[in-house]
Amino acid sequence: MQDSMPKRTLWWGIGLSVGGALMILLVPPLMYSVVSPQTEPEVGQTFLSIVELVLNVIRQLVLPLGTALIAASLVMFYIRGRAQPVEDDRPKRWVLPEPTEHGPER
């Protein structure tokens, strides 16, 4: 059975990286278009500052986490490849001859 952990980790990393990049690009204009800071100063500004704080924390965490997951999946692929040697590529074992099978005695 094939281990699907590296593939899942890779896809989660790609998804988080793309999602983080889209969040960095698209959320601020969307947020300012939905919540107009000029309507009601108390409600609009408070909501805007809370949402902006939460989104800043998410934006600071999602993109680095995605890239770290991509790197971790590459390490898992590498380790899995090294842990399962191919029969043809394995070095042959040296077998020492028995002491009685030596050539001329010294």
Side-chain angles (χ1 to χ4, degrees), residues 18-30:
V18 169
L22 288 176
M23 184 178 276
I24 289 171
L25 291 174
L26 300 176
V27 168
L30 254 167

Side-chain angles (χ1 to χ4, degrees), residues 1-89:
M1 185 171 103
Q2 191 82 358
D3 185 21
S4 65
M5 180 69 121
K7 284 185 181 181
R8 268 188 285 147
T9 306
L10 178 66
W11 283 112
W12 271 101
I14 291 170
L16 284 175
S17 296
V18 169
L22 288 176
M23 184 178 276
I24 289 171
L25 291 174
L26 300 176
V27 168
L30 254 167
M31 188 172 59
Y32 286 117
S33 69
V34 170
V35 179
S36 177
Q38 296 146 351
T39 55
E40 296 178 21
E42 296 152 3
V43 176
Q45 286 293 334
T46 304
F47 180 72
L48 186 65
S49 63
I50 291 172
V51 169
E52 192 170 303
L53 177 69
V54 169
L55 287 176
N56 279 336
V57 170
I58 291 173
R59 280 186 284 184
Q60 293 293 323
L61 293 176
V62 168
L63 195 58
L65 180 62
T67 55
L69 286 176
I70 291 171
S73 71
L74 293 176
V75 169
M76 283 189 260
F77 278 122
Y78 178 75
I79 289 175
R80 184 176 65 186
R82 297 284 290 176
Q84 298 172 351
V86 179
E87 285 295 323
D88 297 337
D89 294 341

